[in-house]
Amino acid sequence: MELIFLGTGAGTPSKERNVSSLVLNLLSERNSFWMFDCGEGTQHQILHSSIRIGRLEKIFITHLHGDHIFGLPGLLSSRSMAGSQDPLTLYGPPGIKAFVETALNLSGSYLTYPLEIIEIQPGKVMEDQQFCVTALPLMHGIESFGYRIEEADKPGTLNASRLLADGVPVGPVFQRLKMGGQVQLDDGRVINGQDYLGPAQKGRVLAIFGDTSPCDNSLVLAKDANVMVHETTLEASMAEQANSRGHSTTQQTAELAKAAGAKRLIITHFSARYGMEESQRLLVECQEIFPQTEMASDLAIFTL
């Protein structure tokens, strides 16, 4: 599992940063990618990465400001032009369906694959055997959401040596036992896999935020997260300006990570006033409060 940052700038692109987009690499888990936000120029950034748009399974939009959605119509069309026929699900606030369908219809674009658009409400937005995704509203100028991605717990390690010592032959039965099931041996014994499994492996938790000033739901989303991805649009001394525009400062973001018990914080969404050198100050301000802070940059990859 990896996080690939395609754009880490706020508002407008710069020579050093594109606008918001982030991809979760789930090739090992489900042979797909999930995208969070799709600002203008996102598909150009993809060309410089290992991401394959045909493997995009889900796109989650945090809010409808242009620097988070203006890349969507082009990306969806390019996926079609590449000949993809695999389904794609798009999640986003109310209005995302009208935006996408209007852009595609007026441009005469068509898709070669099924596109499902789900306009989300607060709460659980998707769940399967591997992942559960919850969205909660944040505090911004327009409706903005944060996403909590929870991986299902994995079965503990199968004690193969103990099975062999108990006379269980190696073969397909091991796989069933590893899943916690039961098998009956040729001698009539019934073996319960639960008796041979170690402790379950806790699934990972990610919290990926849209634009927001400090709010109560942020703590809920980030609680005990393995990784928290959050904006730090401005430095600590500019809190009034940041909050009045629905954004957070370094200090506010780091304090949230600390209060939530997050294990890691990755900061992103930097104002264009900060070049690459100047933005190091933002990192330092966060690390003074939450030492486990890392700073995202365009095309940076973080292994989870």
Side-chain angles (χ1 to χ4, degrees), residues 142-258:
I142 63 173
E143 192 170 25
S144 181
F145 285 89
Y147 292 98
R148 180 178 173 92
I149 303 98
E150 297 175 274
E151 183 182 30
D153 293 346
K154 297 179 181 178
T157 303
L158 186 68
N159 192 333
S161 59
R162 186 178 156 211
L163 282 169
L164 292 172
D166 288 348
V168 180
V170 175
V173 297
F174 270 44
Q175 184 59 36
R176 294 202 296 274
L177 293 172
K178 180 171 175 56
M179 300 307 295
Q182 292 184 342
V183 297
Q184 184 171 9
L185 304 181
D186 292 341
D187 61 10
R189 286 184 297 156
V190 176
I191 303 296
N192 187 344
Q194 295 288 347
D195 297 333
Y196 293 85
L197 290 176
Q201 301 175 36
K202 184 68 177 174
R204 291 161 287 189
V205 176
L206 287 77
I208 298 177
F209 285 80
D211 293 0
T212 187
S213 56
C215 65
D216 292 342
N217 279 342
S218 295
L219 192 60
V220 177
L221 289 167
K223 184 65 175 176
D224 298 326
N226 295 87
V227 179
M228 168 182 153
V229 180
H230 199 286
E231 65 140 289
T232 52
T233 305
L234 293 169
E235 59 197 281
S237 63
M238 302 184 70
E240 183 176 353
Q241 181 175 339
N243 297 165
S244 67
R245 299 178 180 178
H247 293 294
S248 298
T249 67
T250 51
Q251 179 179 349
Q252 292 166 340
T253 296
E255 287 176 346
L256 169 62
K258 184 176 181 179

Side-chain angles (χ1 to χ4, degrees), residues 4-8 19-23 35-39 42 67:
I4 306 170
F5 284 81
L6 298 177
T8 56
V19 287
S20 294
S21 185
L22 167 64
V23 167
M35 177 178 285
F36 294 81
D37 287 337
C38 187
T42 291
D67 58 324

